[in-house]
Amino acid sequence: MSSQRGATWNKWDLHVHSPASFEENFGLDRDVEVGKTPEEAIWDKYIDELESLEDISCVGITDYFSVDGYRRVRQEIEENNRLDNLDLVIPNVELRINNIVESRQSGTGDAIEVHVLFSNELAPSTIENEFLGMLDARDPHGNEIAIRRDSLVELGNDEQFDDFVDDDDPFVRGCKLITVKWEDVLKATNRRRLEGKTMTVVVKEDRWDDLDWQGRSGSERSQLVTGADAFFVQKDSERKWFLGKDGGMTPESFAEQFGSQVPAIRGSDSHSFEDFCHPDEDRFCWIKADTTWEGLKQIKYEPETRVEIGAENPQRRVSIHTPDELQIRNGKINDRLEIEDTTLPLNANLITVIGGKGAGKTALLDLLANCFENQHVPKDEVREDAESFIERAQKGDEASSVRTRLDFAGEDVEPFVKEMLDDDEFTRSRIEYLPQGQITDFCRDDDVMHEKVLELVKEAMEADYTEVLDRFEETRKDIDDIVEKLETRTNELQELNPGTIDTRIKEVSDELDAINGKVADKKEEIEEFRQAHEDELHEESIDELEEQLEEVEVQLDIATSIQNKLELQQERLDELRSFRASANQIRRHASQLELDINPSIIDYDALETEVEEHISRITAHIDDLAGRQESLKQDLNGLQDVNGDLSQLRSELRDLKDDRDSIIARKEKLENTNEKIDHLREQRVEDFHQYLRLYDRLRTVYSEMISHFQEGKSEILEDVEFRAQLQLHDGVQSSIYELLDGRSVNFEELTRPVNALSAATDIPDDAHQLIDDYIEKMLRYSDELKNGSSQAEYEQRVFDDHLKIGERILLDGTPMSRLSLGQKGTVLLKILLAEDNKPLIIDQPEENLDNRFIYDTLRNAFRKAKTDRQVIIATHNANLVVNTDAEQVIVATYDDNVISFESGALENPSIRTQVAKVLEGGRDAFIRREQKYDFNP
């Protein structure tokens, strides 16, 4: 049966004997119905047992040298509509060939059992005439015997062979006495009427393990492996041998010796109703294919991935949010475009969408991706992808009515329904969607490539290397903190107006010189007044008051100076807070490395409290001194006559001194500000050095992560290598230059300092000097700003977050910079394919790649990725459909303004015809995959 969902895993039992087999034990556990013979009753029960099978999809009805049993079963199907529970019933003729293989230990030998499976399209009579009738059987003496019942009965009655076989039934004895030649079997199966409709399956028995490969037996055994289409085996380890994965062989060495890998299957070999169609130890045969003859043939071309032996369904688990079915309804966009109502079951592995240009491939992918949160484009926004079906459809008069429904793999996940232009989103999961052309865009964006690689590496760390991942995230946070600190330092600097500090200090120095002159002049005036009125003055009282006032003012100056210094200490306490955080981190990391590194941690909180108490005390003392100063001034101002005049002159001198003290205080404050500016600049430079050191630490940790990742990375990335590196963000030079006056500064002048910063990312011995050179040279241009640019903005650009962690990516040892655009796309695709198990949707992954490169490089990547996740691609490339062994092919067709979809497995004849018709090189791709393929679309 062909399925719209394409190739899925089903149980097949191709070795089920019928009551027509001479070695059978089909007995009755019930009375024979009146009017029927025991033989008829056994057949009735046999059909009932077949009809009761619930988990077997396909069976092979097996008889020795005969199709009599199959004929009876087929008659029940065709005439009585029985066995609707089975998708496929085919004949299996069991033979014994005359290749005798001898044991090295015993020296004895046995004939080999061979089965020939036939297509259900062949009538039993055709098999008898075209196959059995063409074989020359031989008795133990080498005489030819026709494979007919009468000839076999006659042989069984021949007394000269009485010692050869112990059985009372002459027909059974005859069957056991004959053998056929292996080469005759192969010749008969290649007859024109049987071509493509047979499969030869050799039985691999336990005694084979003791065979001598060096003698004649070994040579004949090699011929069997080379000539057989498949082997019946007992266990999965034997299956692995035929794949070149056991017994000291590799798939390559096995193919070199035997031509190709050989599929190995398992049958129940049922001869009775006990354990009917139930192999021992639940070793069922699982085949991933349409349950058709063409589906069965796929195991010849994909012996490793299309068949497995075991108790459980080999389908690997996919996310419960994997799309399982897509429905499209009300698909009319406008009078010129409509999507036919469609229900598409979706395979859990690789789905390929093919069709001519404009057939609707992108429409299908867009509608599917538009359901998810990270892909939906609100209808009031402009979509960047000019090829988007949704953007073009939005212009349609009736586009808003197009409705999609998604059902999911998880039984408990509710279906999601939306109209195409609604804002509804499926928010419980996400997909990865690359619309047409986006691979090229991503390949030109290093940051996008890095995010994809980082996501892949971090995912690998989450299971076994969480400590490394924690260090990586901690270092990234430290970098964010230092970047924020650099910004804060620059803002603090600009608040201090460093560009005018020298001018302001000079101005206040000039004021101080002037006031000193006035003070000297006033002192001289006072001295002259004192000499002129020497007899009238009583200076003792004035002197005493002034001495007291001067002492108070000196104390006031000292107290104010103490207050200023304490407040400056308080401002710098934040640096101690940063030191404490850094010391804690150093101790934590040293502990992880079991190193005795334990920096002393200052009790910041206690120190802060102490400084605040000192400030409070000195402030109270200053207030007290200021009160005493004011009281003494009032006493001096109360003096009369000449003494009052002298007091006035002295008061004016005191005012001048106060002005001078104010100017001195302003100068000290400016000098303190200048000192603070120098300190902030020094700290900013040190912070920028720390910024580089943190990025170097991040690179070290990231290198460690990549090393762990490389050890267990997916086979998809076996030819891709990552190496951690630091690099500059794009446009560093341009971002700084755009603030400068191009008339006085040439763009190329900035190249040297930017190169110094770039060179520092390699952390050479002179990295410290390179950083200093970058800062010094860049700050030289701060006086060359163009109109509208601020000093703060310029310095923020100089000390901005210019570095980034990234990777040097190599494909087969070749760095990305030397790869073609198509090869870069291959690296991106491999990274995406190796990611987690969320569904991946790609529109035309083959962009910019030649067919040979796709076959050699991408084919296996898709084959490996699809085992763990759902991958959906729209493609024009036959190799991405055929030689990836896509589980499901969806054919998009545009006819008479209507888009429609047909879906099925690669082995579906209709799908196969479309692949050959629509895809360039489709026919050649099939031939390449199926060296023996009977390709006649």
Side-chain angles (χ1 to χ4, degrees):
M1 177 186 295
S2 295
S3 168
Q4 271 193 291
R5 196 181 296 276
T8 56
W9 289 103
N10 292 280
K11 285 181 183 177
W12 296 53
D13 190 347
L14 298 173
H15 192 178
V16 183
H17 281 274
S18 82
S21 293
F22 55 74
E23 285 189 342
E24 54 84 13
N25 296 300
F26 293 106
L28 290 174
D29 57 0
R30 60 192 181 194
D31 295 334
V32 177
E33 186 179 339
V34 177
K36 288 191 175 182
T37 65
E39 180 183 3
E40 290 173 333
I42 288 174
W43 269 106
D44 286 346
K45 183 175 181 181
Y46 182 79
I47 298 299
D48 290 343
E49 290 292 328
L50 286 175
E51 205 163 46
S52 68
L53 295 174
E54 296 180 352
D55 58 349
I56 304 291
S57 299
C58 309
V59 297
I61 305 301
T62 308
D63 289 313
Y64 299 98
F65 293 97
S66 166
V67 288
D68 289 345
Y70 173 72
R71 177 183 280 108
R72 181 70 177 263
V73 172
R74 179 165 172 151
Q75 181 180 359
E76 292 290 338
I77 294 173
E78 294 176 346
E79 296 181 5
N80 299 321
N81 296 319
R82 302 293 299 272
L83 307 186
D84 285 343
N85 58 307
L86 298 175
D87 294 336
L88 179 68
V89 178
I90 61 173
N92 176 356
V93 176
E94 185 170 344
L95 310 169
R96 294 167 69 250
I97 59 175
N98 64 351
N99 300 61
I100 305 299
V101 288
E102 296 179 351
S103 168
R104 286 182 298 216
Q105 296 180 1
S106 65
T108 61
D110 292 288
I112 297 173
E113 293 180 3
V114 171
H115 295 248
V116 181
L117 308 179
F118 294 88
S119 167
N120 56 316
E121 295 179 1
L122 295 174
S125 58
T126 302
I127 298 171
E128 290 170 334
N129 294 332
E130 297 293 331
F131 178 72
L132 292 173
M134 296 296 109
L135 292 178
D136 291 328
R138 310 230 173 218
D139 66 19
H141 291 163
N143 300 314
E144 292 186 2
I145 302 292
I147 304 178
R148 297 194 312 270
R149 175 170 283 274
D150 59 343
S151 300
L152 295 174
V153 169
E154 182 180 347
L155 177 62
N157 285 323
D158 193 332
E159 295 180 356
Q160 65 176 316
F161 300 119
D162 286 350
D163 295 335
F164 284 76
V165 178
D166 183 18
D167 199 293
D168 293 334
D169 188 323
F171 174 70
V172 173
R173 293 178 63 207
C175 288
K176 290 183 175 181
L177 287 169
I178 64 170
T179 58
V180 295
K181 290 183 178 180
W182 173 239
E183 55 267 29
D184 288 347
V185 173
L186 297 180
K187 182 178 179 181
T189 57
N190 286 322
R191 291 174 58 81
R192 184 180 60 82
R193 293 191 63 182
L194 300 182
E195 189 175 359
K197 297 179 180 179
T198 66
M199 285 183 64
T200 55
V201 186
V202 177
V203 176
K204 192 275 180 189
E205 298 183 3
D206 291 340
R207 62 178 181 272
W208 275 45
D209 297 331
D210 190 41
L211 298 180
D212 185 358
W213 277 93
Q214 303 304 316
R216 182 179 66 85
S217 296
S219 174
E220 292 183 347
R221 184 185 185 192
S222 295
Q223 292 176 15
L224 289 173
V225 175
T226 302
D229 292 316
F231 273 78
F232 272 125
V233 298
Q234 298 295 314
K235 46 188 181 260
D236 195 59
S237 61
E238 295 173 337
R239 171 179 167 269
K240 290 178 180 177
W241 187 90
F242 287 102
L243 297 174
K245 294 192 170 185
D246 199 2
M249 303 188 77
T250 65
E252 292 75 20
S253 63
F254 188 93
E256 182 178 352
Q257 182 170 350
F258 299 112
S260 66
Q261 294 173 308
V262 182
I265 59 179
R266 179 81 166 88
S268 65
D269 195 15
S270 296
H271 286 73
S272 69
F273 292 127
E274 294 181 3
D275 295 327
F276 187 67
C277 289
H278 196 106
D280 59 307
E281 299 183 24
D282 292 337
R283 287 183 266 190
F284 290 98
C285 179
W286 295 86
I287 294 177
K288 182 198 283 187
D290 268 348
T291 48
T292 63
W293 174 255
E294 289 299 323
L296 175 60
K297 285 169 60 176
Q298 302 311 300
I299 68 172
K300 295 194 297 183
Y301 319 125
E302 306 291 344
E304 183 173 356
T305 58
R306 289 277 196 150
V307 58
E308 288 201 22
I309 296 171
E312 302 297 329
N313 189 324
Q315 175 62 52
R316 295 189 186 179
R317 182 191 178 277
V318 295
S319 166
I320 61 173
H321 298 116
T322 298
D324 187 67
E325 182 177 274
L326 173 66
Q327 292 183 15
I328 304 173
R329 298 290 187 269
N330 304 327
K332 186 171 183 179
I333 308 298
N334 51 45
D335 292 337
R336 299 178 306 282
L337 181 62
E338 181 178 353
I339 301 176
E340 186 176 74
D341 283 358
T342 301
T343 298
L344 281 175
L346 299 175
N347 198 283
N349 303 122
L350 178 58
I351 304 171
T352 56
V353 185
I354 68 172
K357 185 175 177 58
K361 303 184 297 298
T362 296
L364 183 65
L365 268 54
D366 264 12
L367 287 171
L368 177 58
N370 188 50
C371 294
F372 287 82
E373 178 184 11
N374 63 334
Q375 301 303 328
H376 171 63
V377 180
K379 54 191 173 187
D380 56 348
E381 292 184 11
V382 178
R383 191 177 173 108
E384 295 182 1
D385 181 11
E387 298 297 323
S388 167
F389 168 79
I390 292 178
E391 182 185 9
R392 287 178 279 125
Q394 284 177 334
K395 303 171 184 177
D397 298 332
E398 303 177 57
S400 61
S401 65
V402 178
R403 182 164 51 87
T404 54
R405 167 179 164 143
L406 267 185
D407 288 88
F408 299 91
E411 294 181 359
D412 297 331
V413 182
E414 291 292 325
F416 177 73
V417 182
K418 69 169 290 183
E419 291 187 348
M420 185 174 69
L421 302 185
D422 284 349
D423 292 336
D424 297 338
E425 300 165 341
F426 183 75
T427 58
R428 295 179 61 182
S429 183
R430 63 192 181 99
I431 60 171
E432 186 82 52
Y433 179 38
L434 275 72
Q436 186 176 346
Q438 196 167 96
I439 292 177
T440 300
D441 295 340
F442 280 6
C443 288
R444 294 188 173 117
D445 191 329
D446 290 341
D447 292 336
V448 170
M449 291 290 283
H450 166 64
E451 287 304 318
K452 296 300 180 185
V453 174
L454 180 59
E455 183 179 348
L456 191 66
V457 173
K458 286 174 66 175
E459 180 189 344
M461 298 297 101
E462 288 172 354
D464 300 317
Y465 301 100
T466 55
E467 181 272 331
V468 182
L469 188 56
D470 288 344
R471 280 193 282 126
F472 181 82
E473 295 300 341
E474 284 180 9
T475 307
R476 291 220 296 189
K477 183 181 182 304
D478 290 343
I479 289 172
D480 291 340
D481 290 344
I482 201 72
V483 169
E484 183 178 350
K485 182 182 286 188
L486 283 165
E487 183 179 353
T488 301
R489 299 261 194 228
T490 299
N491 288 335
E492 290 175 351
L493 270 169
Q494 297 312 309
E495 289 174 2
L496 298 175
N497 199 4
T500 64
I501 188 66
D502 292 338
T503 300
R504 286 182 286 154
I505 289 175
K506 184 179 183 308
E507 289 175 351
V508 79
S509 296
D510 292 343
E511 284 185 58
L512 184 59
D513 289 343
I515 200 69
N516 280 331
K518 290 180 179 181
V519 168
D521 185 62
K522 183 59 66 175
K523 285 182 177 179
E524 185 175 344
E525 182 182 355
I526 289 172
E527 185 59 31
E528 291 174 353
F529 183 87
R530 181 183 291 116
Q531 291 175 3
H533 302 283
E534 183 176 358
D535 296 336
E536 304 172 61
L537 294 173
H538 302 285
E539 291 192 68
E540 294 83 0
S541 299
I542 297 173
D543 289 343
E544 183 179 351
L545 289 172
E546 287 187 344
E547 284 176 5
Q548 292 178 26
L549 179 62
E550 184 175 352
E551 182 180 352
V552 168
E553 288 178 341
V554 168
Q555 292 179 10
L556 190 60
D557 288 342
I558 293 172
T560 302
S561 176
I562 292 172
Q563 184 186 47
N564 291 337
K565 286 180 169 58
L566 285 171
E567 289 175 347
L568 184 61
Q569 283 187 346
Q570 190 178 44
E571 290 178 5
R572 292 181 175 176
L573 281 175
D574 283 343
E575 295 175 14
L576 292 179
R577 189 195 302 272
S578 174
F579 174 80
R580 181 172 64 176
S582 177
N584 283 329
Q585 190 178 74
I586 290 171
R587 292 201 311 174
R588 188 165 58 253
H589 289 165
S591 175
Q592 292 171 351
L593 298 175
E594 297 183 356
L595 295 176
D596 186 16
I597 299 176
N598 189 15
S600 299
I601 297 179
I602 297 173
D603 189 346
Y604 167 82
D605 295 330
L607 189 58
E608 183 179 43
T609 300
E610 181 181 344
V611 171
E612 288 175 350
E613 290 175 354
H614 291 332
I615 291 174
S616 177
R617 289 172 57 196
I618 199 66
T619 301
H621 189 62
I622 288 171
D623 291 343
D624 182 57
L625 289 172
R628 292 173 59 191
Q629 180 190 39
E630 183 61 28
S631 176
L632 288 168
K633 285 182 177 180
Q634 289 177 1
D635 290 344
L636 283 169
N637 290 334
L639 295 174
Q640 303 294 323
D641 301 328
V642 175
N643 289 307
D645 293 339
L646 180 58
S647 177
Q648 177 63 34
L649 289 173
R650 285 187 172 186
S651 177
E652 290 173 0
L653 178 60
R654 284 196 303 273
D655 289 342
L656 287 174
K657 287 183 177 179
D658 287 344
D659 290 343
R660 183 179 63 182
D661 289 344
S662 176
I663 292 170
I664 290 173
R666 284 165 51 205
K667 183 180 179 183
E668 287 180 354
K669 186 174 182 180
L670 286 173
E671 287 173 343
N672 285 338
T673 299
N674 196 32
E675 181 183 341
K676 187 174 182 180
I677 288 171
D678 291 341
H679 179 73
L680 283 171
R681 283 173 171 165
E682 290 172 3
Q683 286 297 310
R684 186 172 61 175
V685 170
E686 177 54 36
D687 287 343
F688 203 72
H689 283 291
Q690 176 65 4
Y691 166 75
L692 178 63
R693 289 192 291 270
L694 285 171
Y695 258 112
D696 184 39
R697 184 200 303 169
L698 186 68
R699 173 172 52 188
T700 300
V701 178
Y702 192 38
S703 295
E704 186 178 349
M705 291 168 61
I706 288 176
S707 177
H708 290 310
F709 169 78
Q710 299 275 74
E711 292 172 2
K713 68 181 179 181
S714 165
E715 291 182 39
I716 295 172
L717 294 169
E718 59 187 0
D719 55 355
V720 178
E721 182 182 357
F722 303 129
R723 297 176 188 171
Q725 67 175 11
L726 294 183
Q727 52 195 134
L728 299 187
H729 283 288
D730 294 336
V732 171
Q733 189 167 340
S734 299
S735 71
I736 296 175
Y737 181 74
E738 68 181 8
L739 299 179
L740 298 175
D741 188 343
R743 295 170 297 180
S744 56
V745 181
N746 190 285
F747 181 79
E748 281 68 28
E749 293 181 51
L750 271 63
T751 301
R752 187 172 178 180
V754 170
N755 285 346
L757 179 60
S758 178
T761 61
D762 292 330
I763 318 297
D765 293 339
D766 61 344
H768 195 281
Q769 183 59 50
L770 289 168
I771 291 295
D772 287 343
D773 289 347
Y774 162 76
I775 295 173
E776 179 187 356
K777 289 181 172 62
M778 282 302 185
L779 292 182
R780 284 180 190 172
Y781 298 112
S782 60
D783 295 331
E784 307 293 342
L785 300 179
K786 67 182 180 182
N787 291 336
S789 298
S790 69
Q791 183 79 18
E793 185 180 10
Y794 179 76
E795 292 191 17
Q796 292 287 14
R797 296 277 179 95
V798 172
F799 291 95
D800 203 357
D801 185 11
H802 295 312
L803 304 185
K804 61 181 179 179
I805 190 71
E807 307 82 18
R808 188 166 184 253
I809 304 176
L810 301 95
L811 178 66
D812 278 332
T814 303
M816 285 281 282
S817 58
R818 290 168 51 192
L819 297 178
S820 69
L821 187 59
Q823 290 170 321
K824 291 178 181 178
T826 298
V827 174
L828 175 62
L829 282 172
K830 287 194 167 198
I831 291 170
L832 292 172
L833 289 168
E835 277 184 338
D836 60 20
N837 65 352
K838 64 178 177 290
L840 174 63
I841 305 175
I842 311 175
D843 196 347
Q844 295 191 35
E846 71 271 18
E847 283 184 312
N848 302 306
L849 292 175
D850 61 63
N851 207 38
R852 179 71 190 182
F853 192 81
I854 291 171
Y855 186 86
D856 291 342
T857 306
L858 274 184
R859 173 178 58 98
N860 284 334
F862 276 98
R863 291 173 75 97
K864 291 181 176 69
K866 70 177 184 173
T867 61
D868 296 310
R869 68 193 300 192
Q870 185 182 64
V871 180
I872 305 173
I873 62 173
T875 180
H876 296 286
N877 189 278
N879 277 322
L880 290 180
V881 178
V882 178
N883 287 301
T884 56
D885 192 30
E887 277 76 8
Q888 183 179 11
V889 181
I890 300 174
V891 183
T893 305
Y894 178 72
D895 184 37
D896 197 20
N897 297 331
V898 176
I899 294 173
S900 60
F901 301 100
E902 178 186 3
S903 174
L906 197 60
E907 55 266 23
N908 182 312
S910 176
I911 296 296
R912 190 172 61 196
T913 299
Q914 291 289 345
V915 170
K917 177 181 177 182
V918 172
L919 301 182
E920 182 179 354
R923 188 184 192 93
D924 292 338
F926 274 113
I927 293 173
R928 189 170 198 167
R929 171 182 181 255
E930 309 162 1
Q931 297 296 320
K932 301 180 285 186
Y933 201 43
D934 54 311
F935 184 71
N936 292 298

